[in-house]
Amino acid sequence: MPASRLPYKFLLVLLLFSVVLIVPYSLVTYNDSTRMLERIEDIAPLSIEQRDVYEKYVDDLTENLISMSFYIFIIAFILSLFSSQKFLMPVKKLHRAAQSIKEGDFDVKLDVTTGDELAEVARAFNEMTETLKKKTTELMRKELYVSTMNDPIWVANEDNFIVDINPAFTELFGYERDEVVGSSVFDFLDEESDRVMREQMRERGRGESSNYEISIISKKEGLVPVLVSGAPIIEEGEVVGKIGIIKDFRREKALRDALRDEMDFTEAIMQSMSDSLLVIDKDFRIVKANMAAIAHAGRDVVGEYCHEVLRSRSERCYIHGEVCPATTVFQTGRSSKTVHTHAESGVVVFNDITAYPIKDRHGEVRYAVEVVRDVTGSKKLDNEIAQKNKELIALNSISRILSQSLRAEDIFNNILDKVTELTGMDGGGIYLMDDLGKNLEYKYHRGLSDDFMRSVGRIKLGEGLPGKVALTGQSMVVPDISRAETVGKVLRHSGIKGYACTPVKGKEKMLGVFYIFSFEPHVFTPEEERILNSVGEMMGLALENIRLYEKMRDLYEHQRMSREEQQKNLLSLTSMLSATLDMKSVLEACLILVKDSSRADFVWLIETDEAEQLHVMAASEPGISDDATVYQRGQNTIEQAAIGSRKPVVYSMLDTSAGYHIAEGLKQYNTACAIPVHVGEKTLGALTLYFKMLREVREEDIHFFRTVASILAVALERARLYEDVIMERGMASTILEAIADGVMTVNMYGTVVSMNKAAEEIIGILPRSAVAMKRDNVFSYSEENEKLRMEMAKSFDEATKGTLSTREADLVDVSGRRLPLMFKSAPVRDNRG
């Protein structure tokens, strides 16, 4: 209604304006008339009639003025009514238009029909309406943008009180708008975030923008990590407010923390490596190095060239003809491995270098990782192994020579040829001790004439180098005989320079000496001396075997007279059996030897299994297959009788009362002798000799057969024990890997020596990575494992004192999982307790 009172106000103004005009006019007219009368009186006094006329004139004038004022007032009132209606019509339209705009209707428009000021007002109003419509539409669109944003927004005034938020803020943090507006931004922060926010708000007050991380207290979820993009609201150069766009940073923070943990884990692995690790760019500069590489170089090598650090020279490796694994990685994109050799402080060092590519997401190689390992020790070990293999090959060749024949001439001549070939010597020979043990007589030689050897063919014990070696039993080597003072004149003038002599020993006595020589000075290496000593021992064994064979061949004719010599030969047989684990060929050779010495037609060795079945272990004839079952359980056989009674059993076809079962193929034999093969209380089987002819088996024969059976039993038990040990080791390893609980073995110094698969799955570290690490370092990837390491140390100390220990603690593995563990520690004792 203010608009309905406006015409009245306008009319009242016009009336007051009329009164203001009429009253002064009337007063002026009245005053002028009075002044004119006074002037007339000043000229000449008025008569009474004149004064009456004048007063009459004044009264009439006053009445006329009143009448005229009334009419003027009426006319002004009528004109005011007419004018006010015409003037106020546009104002009313303007009012209605303003009211429509107030109600949100921006499509209203005033008509411009005149050219006066009201038309200008109407045009200005229409322009204002259009501009206001555009601004309002723009503001509504912006408000729509803000309200539909997924990221929360808060707006604070210059005093850091929140004046507005968007719906996303309510959705993320759970606060309604009326709970937030009017509150301080610091009311929703923890202590650390409050400190960060105050610093940021000071920057907003200075008109600066920035991004920062804080945690906002959510109504539903507690602290929520967010990333805030803050900016000041500036008006006319003054900061009038602050706005913050909030990004939910929980997933990004978790990914970043996981990435940081992964990087820390990778860094820990790299730094814990005992091998040097270098990261090299395409310019072959080192961009990263682990502690082992820095410690080895004695300085921080980052920024230096790899060839300066690894090779101590300014040129690239390929200039010196060496393979550069980093170059191969950059050229091919594949890993490369090589071994570099160089000298450090006068010592030859071998470095095993393996390079791996580091590629970007496009597959381009950006860096090369080089792992440098000092393999000097293993290289030397490889060389030693190669030398050992060479020695073993040589000794194996000699062993084959020994096994191919029992003729001394063939054996020793072949051994001389093989040894001189292996050592590169010009010749050699063998002196054997005579029966009296006082003289050495040459038997075999290479490289010297027969006439010369006949001149030195007999040497007394203790004379010359061979005599001294035979007397002392110690090897002697001379690099240059011409410079030695203790050799004889004949040997000195023979042209021989390098000379080595080794004793040929049996089990109980000196059998002879073996020597090799060269016509040039020669310094014998320890490896060559070991080979010569081994050859001497093998010659002694071969010589005893030869003599044993010869004696066993004549055993039947000389049984009673040569029992002591027979026993010595059997002991030599024991040495031969104990020196090998390949029992098959040795057993066959022994059975043939027994067959020949006893003049039997067939000999076999039968063993019994747990089912009490009898199997063939070895036979003197090749037609009998190994492990063939020849007798079933319960069959009455001569072997079963010997095994059951643990006594020798002799069976003759003439004696049919025993009723022994004979295997097919053996019924052609008329006499059999079964000897039980046993060790202590354990019976292994039976040794049976078959004869086609009827034969009397005498006590001397049985004694010999029992001795052979005892030797075979000991050899078999030893071989089986070795197999059991090998099997038990494999079984122990299999059982350890099959255990569901984690098992870690630590030596007395706290170093891990083994770890099974279950322990790997619990701890999260590969066994090959854990082995050789300190026990505490295995769990050092997390500070939360401190209690576990302390409990494990206490348990370890108790175990080292010989007591069992059971403790509990939590393990935080490499992936961050917390696992409650119960671990038991027990001492591992050796055979001495």
Side-chain angles (χ1 to χ4, degrees):
M1 320 327 299
S4 62
R5 293 194 296 268
L6 187 59
Y8 302 104
K9 290 181 179 180
F10 186 71
L11 180 60
L12 181 59
V13 169
L14 289 177
L15 291 176
L16 290 175
F17 180 72
S18 300
V19 171
V20 169
L21 290 177
I22 294 172
V23 169
Y25 175 74
S26 300
L27 292 175
V28 168
T29 303
Y30 181 78
N31 288 333
D32 288 342
S33 301
T34 304
R35 193 178 298 114
M36 181 181 68
L37 182 60
E38 291 176 351
R39 288 175 180 173
I40 293 174
E41 287 182 346
D42 291 337
I43 297 173
L46 295 177
S47 61
I48 295 174
E49 292 83 2
Q50 290 175 329
R51 182 170 295 279
D52 292 334
V53 171
Y54 175 73
E55 291 178 354
K56 178 70 167 135
Y57 169 73
V58 172
D59 293 336
D60 292 339
L61 180 59
T62 300
E63 290 178 1
N64 290 334
L65 286 173
I66 293 172
S67 299
M68 185 176 62
S69 298
F70 177 77
Y71 288 119
I72 291 173
F73 181 78
I74 293 299
I75 293 171
F77 178 76
I78 294 172
L79 289 176
S80 297
L81 287 176
F82 177 76
S83 298
S84 65
Q85 289 298 325
K86 185 176 181 181
F87 176 74
L88 290 176
M89 187 63 67
V91 176
K92 290 182 179 180
K93 291 181 179 180
L94 182 61
H95 177 265
R96 286 195 298 270
Q99 192 68 27
S100 299
I101 291 174
K102 178 181 177 182
E103 295 173 357
D105 183 10
F106 296 99
D107 294 326
V108 65
K109 190 174 183 181
L110 297 178
D111 296 330
V112 181
T113 57
T114 63
D116 54 9
E117 288 78 1
L118 289 175
E120 292 297 327
V121 172
R123 290 191 190 95
F125 181 84
N126 290 336
E127 292 175 359
M128 179 196 70
T129 303
E130 189 67 27
T131 301
L132 188 60
K133 179 180 180 181
K134 291 180 180 180
K135 293 293 184 181
T136 303
T137 303
E138 184 178 351
L139 287 174
M140 292 177 65
R141 187 176 292 112
K142 289 182 179 179
E143 184 178 357
L144 180 63
Y145 294 159
V146 172
S147 63
T148 56
M149 285 180 63
N150 291 327
D151 295 331
I153 293 177
W154 64 11
V155 181
N157 60 18
E158 62 274 16
D159 296 323
N160 302 324
F161 287 95
I162 299 174
V163 298
D164 199 6
I165 61 171
N166 67 341
F169 189 96
T170 300
E171 182 178 355
L172 178 59
F173 300 109
Y175 298 106
E176 297 298 333
R177 189 175 186 278
D178 55 358
E179 296 179 88
V180 177
V181 173
S183 301
S184 172
V185 294
F186 306 111
D187 294 341
F188 303 94
L189 307 176
D190 62 352
E191 183 177 350
E192 177 63 22
S193 299
D194 183 280
R195 183 187 62 78
V196 175
M197 177 61 80
R198 292 186 185 278
E199 178 62 29
Q200 291 296 324
M201 285 305 183
R202 283 193 289 270
E203 293 184 7
R204 299 298 89 74
R206 296 193 295 266
E208 300 174 2
S209 301
S210 65
N211 297 324
Y212 55 95
E213 293 182 35
I214 58 173
S215 294
I216 296 179
I217 301 174
S218 170
K219 192 174 183 179
K220 301 177 292 184
E221 303 179 20
L223 286 177
V224 176
V226 295
L227 177 67
V228 181
S229 296
I233 301 175
I234 300 176
E235 182 177 335
E236 296 181 358
E238 296 291 333
V239 176
V240 298
K242 302 147 188 176
I243 186 170
I245 301 176
I246 304 169
K247 179 72 176 179
D248 187 352
F249 206 58
R250 284 176 291 187
R251 183 172 179 272
E252 290 79 0
K253 186 176 184 298
L255 292 175
R256 187 179 63 186
D257 292 344
L259 179 61
R260 184 183 294 112
D261 292 342
E262 184 69 22
M263 293 177 64
D264 292 343
F265 180 65
T266 303
E267 180 73 15
I269 292 176
M270 186 180 75
Q271 296 299 340
S272 64
M273 291 177 61
S274 59
D275 299 330
S276 298
L277 186 145
L278 305 174
V279 181
I280 302 170
D281 63 14
K282 290 187 174 181
D283 294 329
F284 297 93
R285 286 188 181 274
I286 299 173
V287 298
K288 192 171 184 60
N290 68 347
M291 296 301 296
I294 295 174
H296 184 268
R299 65 185 186 279
D300 189 358
V301 297
V302 175
E304 299 184 25
Y305 289 103
C306 59
H307 48 81
E308 293 176 343
V309 175
L310 298 178
R311 308 294 287 157
S312 299
R313 57 192 180 202
S314 58
E315 301 87 2
R316 294 274 301 282
C317 296
Y318 72 87
I319 296 178
H320 298 271
E322 295 179 340
V323 176
C324 177
T327 301
T328 304
V329 167
F330 289 128
Q331 291 177 350
T332 65
R334 296 190 297 271
S335 60
S336 177
K337 185 175 182 179
T338 187
V339 176
H340 282 180
T341 305
H342 63 283
E344 290 185 3
S345 301
V347 179
V348 177
V349 176
F350 297 88
N351 283 335
D352 182 278
I353 303 177
T354 305
Y356 305 93
I358 298 179
K359 301 180 180 180
D360 58 16
R361 59 189 182 91
H362 302 294
E364 181 182 355
V365 179
R366 302 297 300 275
Y367 301 97
V369 177
E370 284 192 349
V371 179
V372 184
R373 174 175 296 175
D374 187 347
V375 294
T376 305
S378 61
K379 195 71 174 179
K380 292 181 178 178
L381 182 60
D382 291 342
N383 293 336
E384 292 178 1
I385 292 174
Q387 182 63 33
K388 294 293 183 182
N389 288 335
K390 182 180 178 181
E391 296 176 12
L392 290 175
I393 291 172
L395 296 176
N396 185 50
S397 300
I398 296 174
S399 298
R400 285 198 300 269
I401 294 173
L402 295 174
S403 64
Q404 288 173 356
S405 174
L406 288 174
R407 295 180 68 244
E409 185 176 357
D410 294 339
I411 290 175
F412 293 122
N413 284 330
N414 289 333
I415 289 177
L416 283 174
D417 293 337
K418 193 67 180 178
V419 172
T420 53
E421 177 187 351
L422 175 65
T423 58
M425 295 290 103
D426 295 319
I430 298 174
Y431 284 92
L432 295 181
M433 191 78 69
D434 62 10
D435 294 336
L436 299 177
K438 294 182 179 181
N439 297 294
L440 295 173
E441 297 178 352
Y442 100 90
K443 292 293 184 182
Y444 314 98
H445 71 91
R446 287 287 186 275
L448 293 172
S449 65
D450 293 337
D451 293 338
F452 178 81
M453 290 306 302
R454 278 192 292 268
S455 66
V456 293
R458 190 176 183 86
I459 300 175
K460 292 182 178 181
L461 198 65
E463 292 183 353
L465 288 179
K468 292 179 180 179
V469 170
L471 181 63
T472 62
Q474 301 295 324
S475 299
M476 297 183 68
V477 294
V478 180
D480 189 352
I481 281 181
S482 63
R483 298 177 181 272
E485 298 179 354
T486 58
V487 299
K489 294 182 179 180
V490 176
L491 192 60
R492 187 191 303 274
H493 297 290
S494 64
I496 295 175
K497 300 293 185 181
Y499 189 88
C501 189
T502 301
V504 177
K505 297 179 182 179
K507 288 185 66 66
E508 297 180 352
K509 67 177 182 177
M510 181 68 62
L511 302 179
V513 296
F514 161 68
Y515 67 91
I516 57 174
F517 64 85
S518 66
F519 294 115
E520 297 292 336
H522 182 83
V523 178
F524 292 88
T525 64
E527 290 77 13
E528 291 175 331
E529 293 185 26
R530 283 199 300 269
I531 292 177
L532 294 178
N533 290 329
S534 299
V535 171
E537 292 176 0
M538 296 175 69
M539 282 185 176
L541 181 61
L543 187 59
E544 287 197 336
N545 287 339
I546 291 171
R547 291 176 178 177
L548 175 62
Y549 171 73
E550 293 173 350
K551 290 179 180 180
M552 290 185 67
R553 184 180 57 188
D554 300 331
L555 182 64
Y556 183 74
E557 293 94 8
H558 307 93
Q559 284 183 2
R560 295 185 183 272
M561 295 183 299
S562 60
R563 177 167 294 184
E564 290 185 5
E565 189 66 22
Q566 185 185 87
Q567 186 64 32
K568 292 180 181 180
N569 293 336
L570 290 175
L571 291 175
S572 299
L573 176 62
T574 303
S575 299
M576 180 181 69
L577 290 172
S578 63
T580 180
L581 294 173
D582 183 13
M583 296 304 300
K584 183 178 181 298
S585 59
V586 174
L587 288 175
E588 291 177 355
C590 289
L591 294 183
I592 293 174
L593 191 62
V594 173
K595 172 189 170 185
D596 294 339
S597 63
S598 63
R599 298 189 181 277
D601 297 296
F602 177 71
V603 180
W604 70 5
L605 183 63
I606 300 295
E607 67 174 346
T608 179
D609 61 8
E610 295 179 356
E612 298 183 2
Q613 294 181 336
L614 297 181
H615 303 270
V616 177
M617 186 180 297
S620 61
E621 300 296 330
I624 304 299
S625 61
D626 295 342
D627 295 328
T629 302
V630 293
Y631 295 118
Q632 301 295 329
R633 177 182 179 182
Q635 290 182 331
N636 184 23
T637 65
I638 185 174
E639 288 85 0
Q640 192 64 51
I643 292 171
S645 64
R646 294 174 62 86
K647 295 180 180 180
V649 176
V650 179
Y651 168 74
S652 174
M653 293 296 294
L654 297 177
D655 184 11
T656 58
S657 61
Y660 291 120
H661 177 75
I662 304 297
E664 293 296 330
L666 299 181
K667 294 182 178 180
Q668 56 180 316
Y669 301 108
N670 290 303
T671 303
C673 179
I675 308 297
V677 179
H678 54 82
V679 177
E681 298 299 321
K682 181 179 181 182
T683 302
L684 304 179
L687 173 67
T688 309
L689 295 87
Y690 288 88
F691 304 89
K692 290 184 178 181
M693 300 298 294
L694 290 176
R695 175 174 172 174
E696 179 185 0
V697 182
R698 293 174 295 183
E699 186 65 26
E700 292 81 5
D701 298 327
I702 293 177
H703 177 76
F704 171 69
F705 297 154
R706 293 185 71 169
T707 303
V708 173
S710 298
I711 295 173
L712 292 176
V714 173
L716 288 172
E717 189 66 8
R718 173 178 171 271
R720 288 179 176 177
L721 178 60
Y722 180 80
E723 293 177 355
D724 291 341
V725 169
I726 297 300
M727 184 176 296
E728 286 176 3
R729 287 182 179 177
M731 186 178 299
S733 177
T734 303
I735 292 173
L736 185 63
E737 291 301 323
I739 294 176
D741 295 329
V743 178
M744 177 188 294
T745 307
V746 183
N747 65 16
M748 293 296 292
Y749 303 100
T751 302
V752 177
V753 296
S754 69
M755 190 171 74
N756 69 347
K757 187 68 176 178
E760 172 194 349
E761 294 176 355
I762 294 173
I763 301 174
I765 297 180
L766 295 176
R768 63 174 178 267
S769 300
V771 171
M773 291 178 64
K774 289 295 184 182
R775 178 195 66 243
D776 291 346
N777 293 342
V778 175
F779 309 93
S780 62
Y781 47 77
S782 174
E783 295 181 356
E784 296 184 48
N785 290 330
E786 181 62 26
K787 181 180 178 182
L788 172 68
R789 295 197 294 270
M790 293 176 61
E791 293 294 324
M792 187 165 288
K794 295 177 182 178
S795 179
F796 175 79
D797 292 338
E798 294 174 1
T800 56
K801 296 176 182 177
T803 60
L804 300 178
S805 175
T806 301
R807 294 179 179 273
E808 295 182 0
D810 289 345
L811 165 69
V812 177
D813 64 8
V814 294
S815 62
R817 297 180 305 166
R818 182 175 294 277
L819 305 174
L821 296 184
M822 180 179 71
F823 51 92
K824 299 181 178 180
S825 298
V828 180
R829 304 178 186 271
D830 60 15
N831 55 4
R832 295 173 297 177

